[in-house]
Amino acid sequence: MRLATLADRAVLLVEGGAVDIATASNGRFGTDPMAVLDDWAEFKAWAEKTDLPAATPFRTIDLTAPVPRPRQVFAVALNYRPHAAEAGHVAPEIPLLFTKFPSCIAGPHAEVELPDGNVDWELEMVAVIGRACHRVPADEAWEAVAGLTVGQDLSERRLQLTGKPAQFSLGKSYPRFGPTGPALVTPDELADRDDVAIECLLNGERVQAARTSEMIFSVPQLIEFISAVCPLYPGDLIFTGTPSGVGNRRVPQRFLGPDDVLVSRIEGLGELRQTFRSKRK
Ligand code: ZN
């Protein structure tokens, strides 16, 4: 199942287009994707047994964030060994958590204004929580996941790294620094939910490529670790970390500039496409 947001309404993406959930369910489920997620188990059961009406074609550029207003956005640093190494660190012994403040969440085709500084890319798979839960053991954690989506953890490196110690969250939370989408895809759509190919292309050049099976801490391990502390809510996002190939660890360094096109692609989940423009004076 593929849940998306089209013109601010929750839709299912099916062969041939989109089905409006509020209309197809005669109002049993509302137009707000957050409300659908709050009722995820009921919704999933309904969607699986309902004969959906004919789909309406749509333009992918009109899709917005599948989870527009997450209560919490968790993100994980250094979760791929080659990325930890390129950043000059040994692999972490426990997951390293920070947040992207939720006001940065944007849709799959968001155009991003570049703030002053050095803006970098970080392709990441994002897990979306599907039920309220707390203290979830890893072997039950996939049951707490509504779906997976593609994310970019855009990061302004000067603000991120200037302080001692560094503060990760703020430089990663400018408006539209958290593009997500194009849809929330239920894990059963994937051949192996723990092993999918991910790649990031800058102006057509492949700058990151990995498989999610290479993550140091898997999605279930991350959920166990985070939920041991924080209760999780439907629609919470977990950015699961980026592989190697980010711009600030290149020689010479490389950062995003006006008119760059950044494509972030995950096997079975789809792709994001960001363009960038200068800061308005
Ligand atoms: Zn990241």
Side-chain angles (χ1 to χ4, degrees):
M1 191 191 312
R2 291 169 188 268
L3 181 76
T5 309
L6 189 61
D8 293 327
R9 295 174 70 98
V11 296
L12 279 169
L13 301 187
V14 296
E15 193 71 40
V19 172
D20 186 85
I21 289 167
T23 306
S25 69
N26 289 319
R28 177 172 169 194
F29 301 100
T31 60
D32 182 356
M34 301 310 299
V36 172
L37 281 159
D38 278 342
D39 215 1
W40 182 248
E42 289 275 306
F43 169 73
K44 201 162 167 243
W46 170 83
E48 281 164 358
K49 69 173 171 48
T50 302
D51 284 329
L52 295 171
T56 309
F58 67 95
R59 301 183 311 168
T60 52
I61 198 167
D62 292 330
L63 294 172
T64 54
V67 184
R69 300 182 312 281
R71 295 172 178 90
Q72 307 187 87
V73 181
F74 301 93
V76 183
L78 308 180
N79 200 23
Y80 289 79
R81 278 173 217 284
H83 176 58
E86 74 178 353
H89 297 281
V90 295
E93 291 176 10
I94 59 168
L96 301 176
L97 269 289
F98 60 93
T99 189
K100 290 176 79 70
F101 295 107
S103 57
C104 78
I105 295 302
H109 299 276
E111 182 193 66
V112 183
E113 180 184 275
L114 293 163
D116 293 336
N118 301 324
V119 178
D120 202 349
W121 56 87
E122 294 194 2
L123 159 69
E124 313 203 0
M125 188 175 77
V126 176
V128 182
I129 296 298
R131 61 176 164 90
C133 55
H134 193 201
R135 299 174 187 146
V136 183
D139 62 1
E140 295 172 16
W142 272 117
E143 294 162 33
V145 174
L148 299 167
T149 194
V150 188
Q152 257 295 338
D153 175 17
L154 293 172
S155 304
E156 196 286 288
R157 300 299 190 192
R158 277 200 331 224
L159 182 53
Q160 180 191 342
L161 299 171
T162 295
K164 287 193 182 2
Q167 55 169 332
F168 273 29
S169 297
L170 203 56
K172 291 167 170 274
S173 295
Y174 283 94
R176 302 186 174 185
F177 265 36
T180 52
L184 181 165
V185 180
T186 52
D188 60 307
E189 297 269 332
L190 301 170
D192 182 347
R193 62 194 179 184
D194 293 297
D195 180 30
V196 291
I198 71 176
E199 66 171 355
C200 179
L201 298 99
L202 176 56
N203 302 327
E205 177 191 340
R206 198 189 219 205
V207 290
Q208 292 186 286
R211 301 193 68 85
T212 57
S213 53
E214 297 165 29
M215 293 196 301
I216 296 169
F217 301 103
S218 65
V219 169
Q221 288 173 314
L222 293 174
I223 290 173
E224 178 177 87
F225 186 81
I226 296 166
S227 76
V229 179
C230 300
L232 301 179
Y233 301 100
D236 282 356
L237 304 182
I238 303 174
F239 281 69
T240 58
T242 199
S244 61
V246 298
N248 73 327
R249 300 302 174 188
R250 290 171 177 263
V251 183
Q253 289 183 319
R254 188 167 166 188
F255 298 108
L256 295 164
D259 301 324
D260 276 345
V261 178
L262 188 68
V263 173
S264 310
R265 188 179 288 154
I266 300 186
E267 177 186 13
L269 303 184
E271 67 178 38
L272 314 176
R273 182 174 292 261
Q274 265 56 66
T275 53
F276 297 85
R277 64 174 164 75
S278 308
K279 184 178 170 183
R280 289 215 173 91
K281 301 293 176 200

